[in-house]
Structures are given as structure tokens and as C-alpha cells.
Amino acid sequence: MRHLIPFAALLALTACGSKEETTTVTTADGQEIKITSDADNNSESGTITFEGKDGEGKITFGDAAAKEGLPLGMPVYPGGEVKGAFMGGSEKEGSAGGMATVMTKDAPAKVVDFYKKEAEKRGLKIESQATSSANMASFTAKGANDSSLVVTATPSDEGGTAVVLIGGAKQ
């Protein structure tokens, strides 16, 4: 239940019609979380920032997401379009990571092959990989500083491929 409080505040912020709205919520265990949104309810792009005692996290979406970059400095797939991103971390634990979604017209296996090569260029070692009869492809990789990357590419309902990249590392 306590996880629903920040979500409810987020919904309230995005329902507002003005820019740069801020609210503070208190969880059941007494933690205060400051939530700031620079997007209004008609916006298809913006950033929502969460600040608490353990650090800060951001959800960036739409055109603003493309400017944030992908986890672990991975490039956007050639011809791909960033549709959403979440980046965050804990200053207390010295870690950072995020998730991004990229859309492309290319097949899942081709996209995953591209990202495997990019991961290896960055010193990550491929630990597992999978493909399915449903044309899904994925892999996991690990590297220095407890860095890890998971890439999954699946056919999209709208045609093309949806690629999800999840990665993080100790700083």
C-alpha cells in the first residue's frame, strides 16, 4: 500500500495543467519523497523527478528521453527512436542505472546482435543469450564495477521491434 502513495501523487501531478509542479508525499514509514514534474497533462515529453533521503531518480519520456541517453552509455540503435527512459541511482550506495525503450523497424535478432557488439566494446562479457520461436531475442552481460546490462528485443504490436535496455553499475 505504501508504494501506491507516490504513484497517486504522480498521477495528481500529471493531471495538473501547468508546468513545474512539485509535491511532497510521506510514506507509511515516515520517509518524505519530493516529486517534481515539468510536464502537463497534454505533454508527450518531460521529466518527473523523485528526491528522497537515499538520492534522486528521474523518469524522462518522449523527446526529452532521447536527450538523456541509454543505460551504460549504450548508443541508440541506428534508425531507432527512444520512446522512454528512466534513469536514477543512489548517492548513498554509489550506484546508478536505468532503463530505456527504443523502437526500430529491424528484426529482434539483428538489433540484439548490434547491442552485443556494443556491450563487448565497453568491456562487458556476454553471460547468457536467448531466442524464441516468437522472434524474441535477448542477452545479459556483466562487467567491471558490478555493471550489468540486459537487452530484450520483441516484435511490436505496431510493427517493427521494441527494444528494452536495462543497465547499471557502481560509480
Side-chain angles (χ1 to χ4, degrees):
M1 182 66 161
R2 72 176 186 206
H3 299 294
L4 295 178
I5 295 170
F7 182 68
L10 173 62
L11 288 176
L13 280 173
T14 56
C16 297
S18 63
K19 293 258 187 194
E20 199 65 40
E21 293 284 329
T22 300
T23 191
T24 301
V25 296
T26 304
T27 64
D29 60 0
Q31 281 193 28
E32 285 193 354
I33 301 171
K34 179 178 159 187
I35 305 171
T36 304
S37 172
D38 69 358
D40 61 36
N41 62 338
N42 297 317
S43 181
E44 294 183 10
S45 180
T47 301
I48 301 169
T49 304
F50 301 85
E51 294 177 66
K53 70 176 185 155
D54 293 329
E56 177 181 288
K58 291 193 297 188
I59 298 172
T60 305
F61 56 96
D63 293 337
K67 296 174 187 167
E68 289 287 316
L70 301 182
L72 300 177
M74 297 299 282
V76 175
Y77 183 79
E81 181 182 359
V82 177
K83 290 294 188 174
F86 167 83
M87 302 295 174
S90 171
E91 295 169 6
K92 181 178 174 183
E93 295 178 18
S95 60
M99 180 180 102
T101 302
V102 176
M103 298 298 294
T104 180
K105 299 282 186 210
D106 288 342
K110 182 176 180 182
V111 177
V112 165
D113 284 343
F114 169 82
Y115 279 113
K116 283 196 291 191
K117 290 175 186 166
E118 290 297 324
E120 289 170 337
K121 283 182 191 176
R122 288 161 175 74
L124 296 164
K125 180 182 175 203
I126 308 303
E127 296 213 329
S128 66
Q129 50 193 338
T131 56
S132 76
S133 59
N135 203 20
M136 185 275 300
S138 67
F139 74 90
T140 62
K142 293 204 176 203
N145 296 331
D146 290 331
S147 60
S148 61
L149 177 69
V150 177
V151 176
T152 302
T154 57
S156 169
D157 291 340
E158 295 86 34
T161 297
V163 186
V164 176
L165 296 98
I166 304 169
K170 296 273 186 187
Q171 296 176 328

